[in-house]
Amino acid sequence: MEKGLKALIFDVDGTLADNEMDGHRVAFNLAFRAAGLNWHWDEPTYHRLLEVFGGKERIRYFVEAYDPRFKAPDGLDAFILDLHKEKTRQYMGLLKAGALPLRPGVERLLREARSAGVRLAVASTTTFENVTLLLSETVGEHAVGWFDVIAAGDVAKNKKPAPDIFLHALERLELDAAECLAIEDTEAGLASARAAGLKTLITVNPTTRHEDFTGAVLVVDQLGEPDRPFEVLAGDAGGATYADLALLRRLHSAE
Ligand code: XBP
């Protein structure tokens, strides 16, 4: 039996904001410089590193793959924790400077869902405070309260593409996967959401456009606005030109 759409579960990085290359990457590099390291992640390098989800996991992978002889004075775990704290501080500085706006259609869709009584949640790999600050710096502090659940960072043991973070969000929403729709921007995010049983809409960004999104209910280049139509990359938008709740309900109820 078809269940109605009760909640939208959003990924954050790349989905709410196009913030990987100009946000997280920049913050990692600023943290490396502040720590006196000669590491620098240029765009092609970061593109490859994006296969590893989670900032701390990404740093660890980088050390092992690119600088295996690196020795941290008090051990690698403590070093990564400190370096990642500095990266979060730098990233929050970029958010406060207004460097990272929301993607087209995001705020409109959040408002529409709220006024229709469709609940909102986040399932993200990034640090919790990065999510709340992104919302308060873009929409306003009140927007944090729009979300019933912000599942973020290390609350999930296994990061995407494992389903843990979406399962955690569903548990806290006290909803079945069949009552929700996920919105993601990456192949790993799609795999994570689908493994949790969620139908998933994909809004690609330049970094993820060429990934494999087989299994998504629709793939578009952005959520779009009435005066800024999206491009449909895969699936059937039924003539819609932007993602509103009517389209999301149709996608959710389709077999
Ligand atoms: C994106 C990520 C994050 C950020 C870095 O995950 O992998 O790790 O790049 O954030 P998602 P932190 O698409 O699930 O939001 O450094 O705070 O981990």
Side-chain angles (χ1 to χ4, degrees), residues 5-27:
L5 179 61
K6 300 222 172 86
L8 302 178
I9 310 180
F10 286 87
D11 168 54
V12 174
D13 298 317
T15 298
L16 295 187
D18 210 348
N19 56 358
E20 283 291 4
M21 284 296 167
D22 300 334
H24 289 293
R25 183 184 70 89
V26 173

Side-chain angles (χ1 to χ4, degrees), residues 103-117:
R103 295 187 66 192
V106 168
E107 184 172 344
R108 172 190 51 72
L109 184 58
L110 296 178
R111 289 184 184 279
E112 194 190 346
R114 251 178 75 71
S115 48

Side-chain angles (χ1 to χ4, degrees), residues 47 81 96 104 114 116 158 160 189 202 223 233 245:
H47 200 142
L81 267 186
K96 285 185 192 141
R114 251 178 75 71
N158 301 301
K160 297 173 186 178
I202 296 290
L223 293 176
L233 304 173
L245 215 49

Side-chain angles (χ1 to χ4, degrees), residues 11-15 19-20 24-25 28 46 49-50 52-59 84 87-88 91 123-128 130-131 153-154 159-160 165-166 184-186 189:
D11 168 54
V12 174
D13 298 317
T15 298
N19 56 358
E20 283 291 4
H24 289 293
R25 183 184 70 89
F28 281 112
Y46 195 67
L49 292 172
L50 278 173
V52 181
F53 273 64
K56 294 187 285 297
E57 292 79 357
R58 197 168 295 145
I59 296 170
H84 189 257
K87 179 261 164 178
T88 299
Y91 179 75
S124 170
T125 308
T126 198
T127 311
F128 179 83
N130 289 350
V131 180
D154 296 331
K159 302 220 160 150
K160 297 173 186 178
I165 195 75
F166 281 103
E184 265 286 356
D185 71 310
T186 63

